Amino acid sequence: MMAQNIYDDEEFFGGYSQLLRSKNGLDGSPEWPALQEMVGNVSALRVLDLGSGYGWFCRWAAAAGAQSVLGIDVSSKMIAQAEDWGRDPAIEYQLGDLDTVELKESAYDLVFSSLAFHYLTNLDGLFTKAYNSLSPTGRFVFSVEHPIYTAPVQASPGFQTDVDAPERKSWPLNSYANEGLRIRNWLKDGVRKQHRKIDTYVSSLLGAGFTLTGLIEWMPTLKHVEDHPEWKDELERPMFLLFAAEKK
Amino acid sequence: MMAQNIYDDEEFFGGYSQLLRSKNGLDGSPEWPALQEMVGNVSALRVLDLGSGYGWFCRWAAAAGAQSVLGIDVSSKMIAQAEDWGRDPAIEYQLGDLDTVELKESAYDLVFSSLAFHYLTNLDGLFTKAYNSLSPTGRFVFSVEHPIYTAPVQASPGFQTDVDAPERKSWPLNSYANEGLRIRNWLKDGVRKQHRKIDTYVSSLLGAGFTLTGLIEWMPTLKHVEDHPEWKDELERPMFLLFAAEKK
């Protein structure tokens, strides 16, 4: 089964291209410093980026000295935009659906992915392919939307004011046990995501053979919120989940 | 700093002793089958139970062939009750506060704990002591209240009916980023717990030197709910978090 390719939809693409993380790339992604620390030194590494989008990470990795960078994405529009924003002999883009893609074995030192895996239906399959695609000392670093964020069954879940304390906002969490499809209205109606519990991500990683080396439920600090008052509600519940794992 | 010893409080103890998990022990604890699978075979093992309470796990381990079982608990009332419910030459109980306890080094093959660590203020310290107390191939298995359950700052958080769908219940999650003390009214007012994110538990384990081998956000299945309709709301958000780790 193929993942929905919402990124080639005109309406979604138009909205997505206006997001801060689309326009400003890594600098517009508040979780990037934490993810970058997990990524570490990429100098001379062969890098694979699963769901490479606009190519921000591919360009960063190439600039940081990666030997080669392959970005795979399901959206031809995004690949075209990525190529438009800077060609580099070290970077190659490839059209591919992560639910069905074939990856070269023992060909990469780092497999990376940012906010793509919560669209996939076959996570176990991809994790096994990622494992096999890595060199014996290879590493796997990725982010997904946090299950607390993906769980609610509402099409547009949002914070609610508490009945007993109007100054306090809470995230109405429900259906956490019910893994699977969530249809969300975000930029466009009918975006299809997959809700998975944290333990499912971890079991899938361990089952594929990986050793977990890092887990971050990314949330802003009070200092972040001082600089970005618009992030205040993000202190209530995590939006991003970051993983680091090793093959060895 | 010592953890609050609420279990020696008359009012709390009276209420606690009436819980299903107090009266029926492991059989009254819905997460036990999952935890038991993580524990595995204890035959001939030297077992340490941190926060042994009524001694249900100690007695189970002794009956399952453990070579020796040491249960440590902060409550003299609970130890007295545990001893009253069955003496076994393989079991020893010891009064101790897990925030300050000293553990023998390389003395155990399995360190276990059920629903105790969310009371502690010095988790890093205890995890390091647990690591050092284990033999080279030793294992560490424990459960805590899930951060989704401990996060809300309300003294008595509870499910709320959704404004837009009165048939749906949601758990009003807030303050997930704000780790530390939560004062809850549960059996008695003023119970002191420590909210910690999942990534904090994982980082503390990895930081102590452990390898993570299992993580379970325990929730009932639909079959469980068929047998226990009173668990239905537990499908909305996890209450228990189970960890398995190895020293090697």
Side-chain angles (χ1 to χ4, degrees):
Chain A
M1 183 174 165
M2 286 192 37
Q4 178 190 36
N5 176 12
I6 192 78
Y7 287 89
D8 270 352
D9 176 277
E10 288 283 354
E11 185 182 344
F12 185 92
F13 189 80
Y16 188 84
S17 66
Q18 294 309 308
L19 295 180
L20 208 58
R21 66 173 60 236
S22 302
K23 291 197 288 188
N24 295 356
L26 306 176
D27 292 336
S29 306
E31 79 284 12
W32 167 244
L35 200 55
Q36 183 181 2
E37 199 170 319
M38 284 177 152
V39 163
N41 188 355
V42 297
S43 179
L45 298 192
R46 297 160 298 168
V47 174
L48 172 64
D49 182 358
L50 298 172
S52 50
Y54 284 134
W56 289 105
F57 179 76
C58 295
R59 289 191 293 279
W60 173 86
Q67 181 189 127
S68 65
V69 186
L70 173 61
I72 300 181
D73 203 278
V74 72
S75 162
S76 54
K77 280 192 188 186
M78 298 195 82
I79 289 179
Q81 179 67 77
E83 289 180 329
D84 212 45
W85 276 350
R87 292 182 183 270
D88 184 309
I91 305 176
E92 184 192 337
Y93 293 106
Q94 183 182 305
L95 193 67
D97 182 322
L98 300 182
D99 269 333
T100 55
V101 72
E102 296 297 321
L103 304 176
K104 273 192 206 161
E105 302 213 346
S106 307
Y108 311 100
D109 307 298
L110 172 72
V111 175
F112 174 87
S113 179
S114 171
L115 300 180
F117 294 163
H118 53 271
Y119 292 115
L120 306 188
T121 56
N122 183 10
L123 193 73
D124 282 347
L126 185 68
F127 279 10
T128 296
K129 284 187 266 189
Y131 184 87
N132 292 333
S133 79
L134 282 166
S135 58
T137 58
R139 297 179 297 112
F140 188 25
V141 174
F142 66 91
S143 65
V144 290
E145 287 185 358
H146 196 290
I148 288 175
Y149 189 71
T150 58
V153 292
Q154 294 94 318
S156 304
F159 286 98
Q160 291 183 1
T161 300
D162 279 12
V163 181
D164 54 341
E167 79 287 357
R168 192 172 55 225
K169 284 183 179 174
S170 286
W171 177 255
L173 181 66
N174 61 62
S175 312
Y176 194 88
N178 178 23
E179 299 188 284
L181 182 64
R182 295 293 187 276
I183 298 182
R184 289 290 170 82
N185 300 338
W186 180 65
L187 302 179
K188 179 189 168 82
D189 285 3
V191 178
R192 298 167 73 89
K193 297 182 181 181
Q194 299 292 327
H195 165 63
R196 289 184 182 93
K197 295 163 65 194
I198 295 183
D199 60 3
T200 297
Y201 283 106
V202 170
S203 298
S204 191
L205 274 175
L206 301 181
F210 285 106
T211 300
L212 186 76
T213 55
L215 177 76
I216 296 176
E217 299 177 282
W218 191 87
M219 303 183 79
T221 60
L222 293 177
K223 177 71 176 62
H224 283 138
V225 172
E226 229 170 76
D227 298 342
H228 295 271
E230 73 277 14
W231 292 357
K232 185 171 181 300
D233 292 350
E234 301 302 318
L235 295 168
E236 309 299 344
R237 59 98 186 87
M239 187 189 278
F240 303 120
L241 184 59
L242 284 48
F243 289 89
E246 290 180 356
K247 182 163 182 172
K248 73 161 188 287
Chain B
M1 184 175 163
M2 286 193 34
Q4 178 190 36
N5 176 11
I6 192 78
Y7 287 91
D8 269 352
D9 177 277
E10 288 285 355
E11 184 182 346
F12 185 92
F13 189 79
Y16 188 83
S17 65
Q18 294 308 308
L19 295 180
L20 207 59
R21 65 172 62 235
S22 302
K23 292 197 288 188
N24 296 356
L26 305 176
D27 292 336
S29 306
E31 79 284 12
W32 167 243
L35 200 55
Q36 183 179 3
E37 198 170 320
M38 284 177 152
V39 163
N41 188 356
V42 298
S43 178
L45 299 192
R46 297 160 298 167
V47 174
L48 172 63
D49 182 358
L50 299 172
S52 49
Y54 283 134
W56 288 106
F57 179 77
C58 294
R59 290 191 293 279
W60 174 86
Q67 181 188 128
S68 65
V69 186
L70 173 61
I72 300 181
D73 203 278
V74 73
S75 163
S76 54
K77 281 193 187 185
M78 298 195 82
I79 289 180
Q81 179 67 78
E83 289 179 330
D84 212 45
W85 276 348
R87 291 181 184 270
D88 185 309
I91 305 177
E92 184 192 339
Y93 294 105
Q94 183 182 306
L95 193 67
D97 182 322
L98 299 182
D99 270 332
T100 55
V101 71
E102 295 298 320
L103 304 176
K104 273 192 207 159
E105 302 213 346
S106 307
Y108 309 101
D109 306 300
L110 172 71
V111 175
F112 174 86
S113 179
S114 170
L115 301 179
F117 294 162
H118 52 271
Y119 293 114
L120 307 187
T121 55
N122 183 8
L123 193 74
D124 282 347
L126 185 68
F127 279 10
T128 296
K129 284 186 266 189
Y131 185 88
N132 292 333
S133 80
L134 283 166
S135 59
T137 58
R139 296 179 297 112
F140 188 24
V141 175
F142 66 92
S143 65
V144 290
E145 287 185 359
H146 197 289
I148 288 174
Y149 189 71
T150 58
V153 291
Q154 293 95 318
S156 304
F159 286 99
Q160 292 183 0
T161 300
D162 279 12
V163 182
D164 54 341
E167 80 287 357
R168 191 172 54 223
K169 284 183 180 175
S170 287
W171 177 256
L173 180 66
N174 61 62
S175 312
Y176 194 89
N178 178 23
E179 299 188 286
L181 182 64
R182 295 293 187 277
I183 297 182
R184 289 291 169 81
N185 300 338
W186 180 65
L187 303 178
K188 178 190 168 81
D189 285 2
V191 178
R192 298 166 74 88
K193 297 183 181 180
Q194 298 293 327
H195 165 63
R196 289 183 181 92
K197 296 163 65 193
I198 296 182
D199 60 2
T200 297
Y201 284 106
V202 170
S203 298
S204 190
L205 274 175
L206 301 182
F210 285 106
T211 300
L212 186 76
T213 56
L215 177 76
I216 296 176
E217 299 177 283
W218 191 87
M219 302 183 79
T221 61
L222 293 176
K223 176 72 175 63
H224 284 137
V225 173
E226 229 170 76
D227 298 342
H228 295 270
E230 73 277 14
W231 294 355
K232 185 173 181 299
D233 292 349
E234 301 301 318
L235 294 168
E236 309 299 345
R237 59 100 185 86
M239 186 188 280
F240 303 120
L241 184 59
L242 284 48
F243 289 90
E246 290 179 357
K247 183 162 181 171
K248 73 161 189 288

